[in-house]
Amino acid sequence: MKKWMIGCLIVAAAGTGLIYWFIPASLQVGESLYVKCTFNGVRRTMQNNSWERWWPGAVKSKPYELDGFTFQPDSTSNNALSIRISDAGSAHASTMLLIPYQIDTTIITWGSIVYTGGSPFSKLKAYFHARELKQSLHAAMLAMQRFMGKNENVYGIPVWETKIQDTALAAIKTYYDHYPGTADIYQLVASIEQYVAASGAHTINPPMLNVNQEKGSNQYEAMVAIPTGKLLPGNGTVVPKKMIHSPIAVTEVKGGEATVRWAFAQLQQYVQDTHRMQPVIPYAVLLTDRSRETDTSKWVTRICFPIF
């Protein structure tokens, strides 16, 4: 009997010693992953209180809940977020760091410290608590990675990059004291089409449009160009334009002029976030013939930003 008790005491002492040996006074709990998104895109998404758009838990409002933990974003800085994590019996401060890695890739780390206490029982409890917390952080960050890996979630529009295909254009540039409407634009389109037909050529793709307001004035500069397949000499009013096969950032949207202007701004943000330069002006390709389709909700417009 005494030997059995002594054996139990030895095992208990050894177990306690192992607990103190393997479980320190504090445990670092954290996750790190790569997100296929620009640094500024990730930062805006995380700082604009838009967690409900990607949060994987059932409760998609502050405080956010997941696997028995609640997550309360507290404060933000340029590249860090403070997030309070709590459950029924504990609370922890945590920090999420955003680290630029490549132009289109960001590293996100999220970490916290779990203090284990002084007794072997509190250490064991804290150890399993830390494991559960790590699993929750992992699930949240995977959801974040999937969400931010799609440009339409970050910029509100799908964005892809390709190269300019139509390089020979016939163009007209003119000025208005008002924002040019559909009738104004298609009057220019008709002038180009008439010139192209009279030249024995033909147009090969829909018209391209750029409208720019002169700074400090109410004047608008409008340029309309149509791909012609070959470069024509022009006639004074219609002029030839030669493009090169340069890279372009592209999106397509459906809707009226307000939607198109908003999409221009979003694509401009993408270009800035990827630190690209614009060698020439951006333009819209009018995929829908707006002179025939009066329902603006059916207009489809492709927006192109030449970049390098």
Side-chain angles (χ1 to χ4, degrees):
M1 185 67 175
K2 289 183 178 180
K3 290 182 179 180
W4 180 82
M5 292 181 63
I6 292 172
C8 289
L9 290 173
I10 292 173
V11 170
T16 301
L18 288 174
I19 290 172
Y20 279 100
W21 179 265
F22 286 107
I23 302 178
S26 62
L27 296 171
Q28 298 280 348
V29 181
E31 284 288 307
S32 179
L33 49 71
Y34 294 88
V35 175
K36 196 69 173 177
C37 181
T38 63
F39 170 75
N40 285 330
V42 171
R43 182 178 60 181
R44 279 193 306 273
T45 303
M46 295 304 299
Q47 293 181 350
N48 289 347
N49 296 320
S50 57
W51 284 40
E52 65 277 359
R53 297 176 60 203
W54 60 266
W55 187 253
V59 177
K60 296 183 180 294
S61 60
K62 291 183 181 180
Y64 303 96
E65 295 184 7
L66 181 64
D67 299 333
F69 293 96
T70 60
F71 299 81
Q72 177 68 52
D74 285 336
S75 60
T76 63
S77 64
N78 183 55
N79 68 330
L81 293 86
S82 297
I83 303 157
R84 189 74 174 170
I85 305 173
S86 59
D87 64 0
S90 62
H92 315 283
S94 73
T95 301
M96 183 183 293
L97 293 177
L98 314 178
I99 305 168
Y101 179 65
Q102 294 177 342
I103 288 177
D104 62 347
T105 305
T106 303
I107 298 173
I108 301 179
T109 67
W110 190 358
S112 181
I113 297 176
V114 174
Y115 294 98
T116 61
S119 73
F121 299 104
S122 67
K123 284 182 175 293
L124 279 175
K125 182 180 178 181
Y127 171 78
F128 289 109
H129 174 81
R131 287 184 59 181
E132 292 173 352
L133 177 57
K134 183 177 178 65
Q135 291 173 354
S136 293
L137 294 183
H138 181 71
M141 292 188 72
L142 282 181
M144 185 194 315
Q145 183 186 53
R146 287 191 294 267
F147 179 84
M148 295 186 191
K150 296 180 179 180
N151 283 320
E152 53 265 43
N153 292 333
V154 177
Y155 297 97
I157 52 174
V159 181
W160 64 95
E161 295 186 16
T162 183
K163 287 192 174 183
I164 291 174
Q165 299 301 316
D166 296 320
T167 58
L169 311 173
I172 291 180
K173 180 167 65 175
T174 190
Y175 295 87
Y176 298 92
D177 60 2
H178 59 277
Y179 193 90
T182 300
D184 298 316
I185 298 305
Y186 279 88
Q187 185 177 18
L188 300 180
V189 170
S191 296
I192 297 173
E193 290 176 337
Q194 290 169 8
Y195 164 74
V196 171
S199 301
H202 60 277
T203 60
I204 61 173
N205 270 318
M208 303 152 65
L209 170 67
N210 174 272
V211 178
N212 182 50
Q213 185 175 14
E214 295 289 311
K215 289 185 178 180
S217 76
N218 294 323
Q219 194 171 49
Y220 293 86
E221 176 190 88
M223 177 180 287
V224 173
I226 303 180
T228 56
K230 64 178 182 179
L231 204 61
L232 302 174
N235 63 2
T237 301
V238 179
V239 297
K241 289 289 182 181
K242 178 68 174 177
M243 303 279 279
I244 61 173
H245 292 290
S246 66
I248 50 173
V250 183
T251 189
E252 285 186 11
V253 293
K254 195 172 185 179
E257 192 57 41
T259 300
V260 172
R261 292 193 204 185
W262 170 81
F264 257 102
Q266 296 305 107
L267 193 55
Q268 175 75 65
Q269 185 69 74
Y270 170 84
V271 171
Q272 292 174 351
D273 286 350
T274 53
H275 306 292
R276 307 297 185 84
M277 302 293 291
Q278 293 176 227
V280 295
I281 59 174
Y283 56 89
V285 180
L286 310 183
L287 300 179
T288 301
D289 186 341
R290 300 179 179 183
S291 65
R292 295 177 179 272
E293 178 56 71
T294 58
D295 185 351
T296 61
S297 67
K298 296 180 180 179
W299 290 359
V300 179
T301 306
R302 179 182 300 143
I303 300 168
C304 303
F305 270 69
I307 54 177
F308 68 81

